[in-house]
Amino acid sequence: QLQAYGGGSVQAGGSLRLACRVSGRTFNRYTVGWFRQAPGKEREFVAARSRSGSATNYADSVKGRFVISGDNAENTVHLQMSSLKPDDTGVYYCASSGVWSSQATRYSVWGQGTQVTVSS
């Protein structure tokens, strides 16, 4: 089970930190990814952290602004979002996968979404 939280409303240029708590499964056995979906658009990949934490991957649109990290003690994956833009607005979901992938179809367990709204 995954639970995402930490969304909110900020102005452009601001920051937010999302969290994804993983329960019911061994934290370091799965890739954990973040995806987002804006109104009228398809769900898109944002970032992923490998099971060991040794590898990360980011969508080009968020490189240099977002950082994904893990807290093994808390079984939680964080997404630190900085220099936010209105285009970052959407519902953010975390998900887990048994493989290293940026494709949503490879993720089998999804948390509920958390809304991020960035105003100009």
Side-chain angles (χ1 to χ4, degrees), residues 19-95:
C20 177
R21 180 177 293 274
V22 181
S23 61
R25 50 180 52 198
T26 306
F27 175 72
N28 60 1
R29 291 184 60 186
Y30 298 91
T31 294
V32 176
W34 284 96
F35 295 79
R36 67 187 181 189
Q37 188 166 19
K41 295 186 177 180
E42 292 187 355
R43 190 169 299 188
E44 64 175 356
F45 171 76
V46 176
R49 174 188 181 272
S50 66
R51 61 189 70 186
S52 68
S54 61
T56 56
N57 187 26
Y58 298 92
D60 288 343
S61 60
V62 305
K63 280 181 181 177
R65 300 189 297 121
F66 290 13
V67 177
I68 188 170
S69 62
D71 183 337
N72 289 339
E74 296 292 329
N75 274 15
T76 299
V77 174
H78 295 281
L79 184 68
Q80 177 68 47
M81 306 185 296
S82 303
S83 302
L84 284 162
K85 306 175 181 179
D87 285 346
D88 294 319
T89 294
V91 179
Y92 282 68
Y93 300 88
C94 63

